[in-house]
């Protein structure tokens, strides 16, 4: 370990000799400080957090990510090309220790830069938050500067109903040649769609178990996060109409129930603050929407209703979010070092950026998988050309790559922080295991293997 730490220290010194590191540090501090001055918010807590947290953190991660790829490609490839690496390999130090030491040095540098910029952003959040008016300060403290857990209604079980309808259709007509599994799926989607509709004069009720000790939520407000679609013939996704929506929260037919009429717009998320102490004895929150409008509303089972409740403070939540971002940077460093272990600096940089772009192209991968290949469609006839070997290989490749990509992209700490949601320790541990150990470990193993097998005594720096 002493040898790895010594190489990490040398790597850190070499990184600071690059002018790009000093320029990068200056750029990050100036950009996150100047961004709120250049882009004015609307004076609300959410507008303020969108500028200071979402944009600033996004800029920081993007800048550090690209710099990490560039530095990790150059820190090893340049040593090989300039023959400085021979000074290390002739010493009694295993090559894998040299590789791991350089990776550790880049991680330390990233930790310093991310930690420094993170403190600047947090300081700006506290400073600018204190200048909001009292109403917006209340919103900031209860909806943004907080770690909130979430709860949703249990998944609907329509298995018995689907089976009954399926058997009834089988008795009424001959469906022997029909794909039974597909038919059951269609029946399920039909019932699910009907379940999500609330016609005029009808009611939709959610029974949401909060999954926590009700005593922990005593005297603490809850928030309903809801989204709906107006189903009239002239309704569009840019529908700007406002409907007075009637809500009732609390035990059914109880004097403790809370009722409110809220003017709400379709196709956007709304948060409704609910008074505390409305849970029943089982720790469930009952929510009812009564449709007294001349309209049919659609509440999606996944996005239609969610309950948010306070779990902790913002600072600890913010630090856990930074840890997840650091895991992403650790992976990028492993990709860059792995590429430079067997490629020259320009080619390694191109390879690393290509891997990054490919990993972010989940939409293209999904399209290839759904269409069964990369063969085009004849738009005049609508006929798909016959699939060949390349199509089958591409589908298999993109399926496996998409699984690997989803393991990495299954985290969105900036979005969680901007919505005041909890970044749990389970998410942090999962990010470390999935991003750093599993996916990063693949690139570490590849880089160490290639570096250990590479000939470094050639006049070209090992590029033969």
């Amino acid at each position: 370990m002493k040898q790895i730490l010594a190489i990490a220290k040398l790597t850190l010194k070499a990184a600071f000799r690059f002018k790009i590191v000093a320029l990068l540090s200056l750029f990050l501090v100036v950009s996150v400080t100047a961004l709120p001055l250049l882009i004015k918010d609307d004076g609300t807590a959410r507008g303020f957090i969108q500028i200071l947290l979402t944009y600033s953190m996004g800029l920081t991660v993007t800048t550090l990510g690209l710099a990490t790829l560039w530095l990790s490609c150059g820190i090893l490839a340049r040593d090989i090309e300039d023959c400085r690496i021979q000074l290390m390999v002739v010493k009694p130090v295993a090559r894998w220790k040299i590789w791991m030491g350089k990776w550790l040095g880049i991680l330390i540098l990233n930790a310093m830069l991310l930690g420094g910029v993170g403190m600047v952003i947090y300081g700006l959040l506290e400073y600018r938050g204190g200048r909001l008016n009292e109403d917006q300060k209340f919103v900031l403290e209860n909806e943004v500067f907080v770690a909130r857990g979430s709860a949703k209604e249990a998944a609907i079980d329509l298995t018995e109903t689907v089976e009954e309808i399926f058997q009834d259709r089988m008795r009424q007509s001959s469906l022997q040649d029909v794909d039974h599994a597909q038919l059951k799926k269609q029946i399920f989607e039909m019932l699910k769609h009907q379940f999500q509709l609330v016609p005029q004069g009808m009611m939709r009720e959610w029974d949401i178990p909060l999954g926590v000790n009700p005593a922990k939520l005593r005297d603490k407000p809850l928030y309903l996060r809801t989204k709906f679609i107006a189903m009239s013939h002239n309704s569009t996704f840019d529908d700007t109409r406002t409907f007075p929506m009637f809500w009732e929260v609390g035990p059914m037919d109880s004097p403790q129930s809370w009722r409110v009429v809220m003017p709400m717009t379709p196709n956007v998320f709304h948060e409704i603050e609910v008074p505390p102490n409305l849970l029943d004895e089982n720790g469930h929150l009952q929510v009812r929407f009564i449709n007294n409008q001349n309209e049919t509303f659609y509440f999606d089972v996944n996005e239609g209703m969610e309950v948010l409740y306070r779990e902790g403070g913002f600072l600890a939540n913010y630090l856990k979010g930074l840890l997840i971002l650091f895991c992403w940077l650790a992976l990028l460093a492993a990709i860059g070092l792995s590429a430079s272990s067997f490629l020259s600096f320009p080619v390694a940089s191109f390879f690393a950026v290509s891997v990054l772009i490919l990993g972010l192209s989940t939409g293209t991968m999904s399209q290839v998988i759904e269409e069964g290949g990369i063969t085009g469609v004849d738009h005049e006839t609508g006929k798909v050309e016959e699939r060949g070997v390349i199509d089958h290989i591409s589908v298999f490749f993109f399926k496996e790559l998409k699984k690997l990509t989803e393991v990495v992209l299954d985290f969105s700490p900036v979005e969680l922080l901007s919505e005041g949601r909890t970044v749990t320790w389970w998410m942090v541990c999962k990010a470390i295991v999935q991003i750093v150990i599993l996916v990063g470990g693949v690139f570490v193993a590849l880089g160490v293997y290639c570096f250990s097998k590479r000939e470094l005594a050639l006049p070209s720096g090992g590029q033969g």
Side-chain angles (χ1 to χ4, degrees):
M1 194 63 194
K2 289 183 178 179
Q3 294 174 330
I4 295 176
L5 290 175
I7 295 171
K9 184 178 179 180
L10 292 174
T11 303
L12 200 58
K13 289 182 178 179
F16 277 105
R17 283 198 295 267
F18 284 106
K19 293 182 180 179
I20 186 66
V21 174
L23 293 174
L24 175 64
S25 304
L26 181 62
F27 171 76
L28 285 173
V29 173
V30 171
S31 59
V32 300
T33 306
L35 188 63
L37 301 176
L38 297 175
I39 306 176
K40 298 295 183 181
D41 59 74
D42 57 4
T44 65
R46 296 208 168 275
F48 147 81
I49 210 70
Q50 184 75 14
I51 301 296
L52 262 179
L53 184 59
T54 308
Y55 292 169
S56 297
M57 290 296 290
L59 176 63
T60 299
V61 174
T62 302
T63 304
L64 279 179
L66 293 175
T68 297
L69 279 179
W70 184 90
L71 184 61
S72 57
C73 287
I75 204 81
L76 182 58
R78 288 288 175 83
D79 280 355
I80 296 174
E81 293 170 7
D82 297 340
C83 298
R84 289 192 299 266
I85 197 70
Q86 282 86 333
L87 298 175
M88 291 186 184
V89 297
V90 296
K91 298 181 184 298
V93 181
R95 288 198 184 186
W96 71 267
K97 292 183 179 180
I98 296 175
W99 199 99
M100 294 298 294
K102 288 187 173 294
W103 189 41
L104 181 60
I106 296 173
L107 295 188
I108 294 173
L109 177 63
N110 275 331
M112 294 169 59
L113 292 174
L114 183 62
V117 176
M119 287 193 299
V120 172
I121 294 175
Y122 182 78
L124 288 172
L125 288 172
E126 291 289 343
Y127 172 71
R128 291 289 297 275
R131 300 176 62 182
L132 295 173
N133 60 49
E134 292 302 321
D135 291 340
Q136 291 303 318
K137 279 184 182 179
F138 179 83
V139 174
L140 187 68
E141 294 295 331
N142 289 276
E143 299 183 21
V144 181
F145 277 6
V146 67
R148 297 187 295 180
S150 66
K152 294 183 179 181
E153 186 179 41
I156 54 175
D157 186 5
L158 299 173
T159 306
E160 294 184 3
T161 308
V162 169
E163 187 64 29
E164 290 177 2
I165 296 176
F166 172 75
Q167 295 297 338
D168 185 58
R169 290 190 179 183
M170 291 290 290
R171 287 191 296 268
Q172 292 180 6
S173 60
S174 177
L175 298 175
Q176 301 302 323
D177 297 333
V178 176
D179 186 340
H180 291 183
Q182 186 64 26
L183 178 58
K184 288 184 179 181
K185 183 179 179 180
Q186 292 175 356
I187 295 172
F188 174 80
E189 292 297 331
M190 177 193 68
L191 292 174
K192 179 181 172 182
H193 182 75
Q194 294 176 352
F195 179 78
Q196 297 169 122
L197 291 176
V198 186
Q200 179 186 5
M202 301 300 290
M203 179 181 71
R204 169 77 160 93
E205 184 172 6
W206 293 266
D207 185 20
I208 303 176
L210 266 67
V212 296
N213 185 354
K216 293 183 178 180
L217 299 178
R218 188 180 304 277
D219 299 328
K220 295 181 180 179
L222 304 175
Y223 293 85
L224 305 181
R225 190 172 190 265
T226 183
K227 179 182 177 181
F228 64 92
I229 299 174
M231 300 297 292
S232 60
H233 68 280
N234 60 343
S235 178
T236 61
F237 284 102
D238 58 351
D239 192 348
T240 58
R241 294 177 296 169
T242 300
F243 298 93
M245 310 287 278
F246 182 81
W247 298 92
E248 183 178 3
V249 184
M252 182 71 77
D253 301 326
S254 169
Q256 295 180 343
S257 294
W258 178 75
R259 300 172 179 83
V260 66
V261 177
M262 295 287 293
M264 305 174 76
T265 304
N267 307 312
V268 296
F269 284 103
H270 299 269
E271 284 196 17
I272 305 173
E273 183 182 353
V274 177
N277 306 324
L278 292 177
L279 303 181
D280 61 18
E281 62 275 7
N282 298 317
H284 290 213
L285 184 71
Q286 296 179 1
V287 181
R288 290 169 292 281
F289 165 69
I290 302 173
N291 185 5
N292 51 18
Q293 303 295 309
N294 187 24
E295 180 70 80
T296 297
F297 296 108
Y298 176 89
F299 290 86
D300 184 81
V301 291
N302 297 316
E303 298 182 335
M305 178 58 63
E306 183 180 15
V307 177
L308 304 175
Y309 55 91
R310 186 183 183 94
E311 282 190 323
F314 177 74
L315 179 57
N317 211 40
Y318 180 69
L319 294 176
K320 287 182 283 186
L322 291 179
L323 282 175
I324 294 178
L325 297 180
F326 179 72
C327 291
W328 286 353
L329 296 177
L331 174 59
L332 293 178
I335 293 174
L337 275 174
S338 178
S340 63
S341 298
F342 61 95
L343 298 171
S344 63
F345 174 56
V347 181
S349 301
F350 176 78
F351 174 81
V353 173
S354 299
V355 170
L356 178 62
I357 294 174
L358 186 61
L360 296 175
S361 303
T362 54
T364 302
M365 287 188 278
S366 300
Q367 183 178 358
V368 172
I369 296 170
E370 291 174 3
E371 294 182 356
I374 58 176
T375 305
V377 179
D378 189 336
H379 295 286
E380 293 183 1
T381 62
K383 185 178 180 180
V384 180
E385 298 179 11
E386 185 177 353
R387 301 300 185 187
V389 177
I390 296 179
D391 291 306
H392 294 296
I393 293 175
S394 64
V395 170
F396 173 78
F397 174 74
F398 281 122
K399 278 184 178 179
E400 298 305 314
L401 182 60
K402 190 169 184 288
K403 292 177 183 178
L404 189 66
T405 303
E406 288 174 346
V407 168
V408 177
L409 299 180
D410 191 26
F411 307 91
S412 183
V414 177
E415 182 180 349
L416 294 175
L417 291 172
S418 63
E419 294 179 357
R421 293 173 178 266
T422 300
V423 180
T424 64
W425 282 112
W426 167 247
M427 291 181 188
V428 176
C429 294
K430 191 177 177 182
I432 294 173
V433 172
Q434 292 184 187
I435 299 176
V436 181
I437 297 179
L438 294 182
V439 182
V442 172
F443 288 98
V444 169
L446 175 64
V448 169
Y449 175 79
C450 293
F451 183 59
S452 64
K453 297 297 182 181
R454 186 170 181 175
E455 176 58 64
L456 300 176
L458 296 176
S460 61
Q463 302 301 322

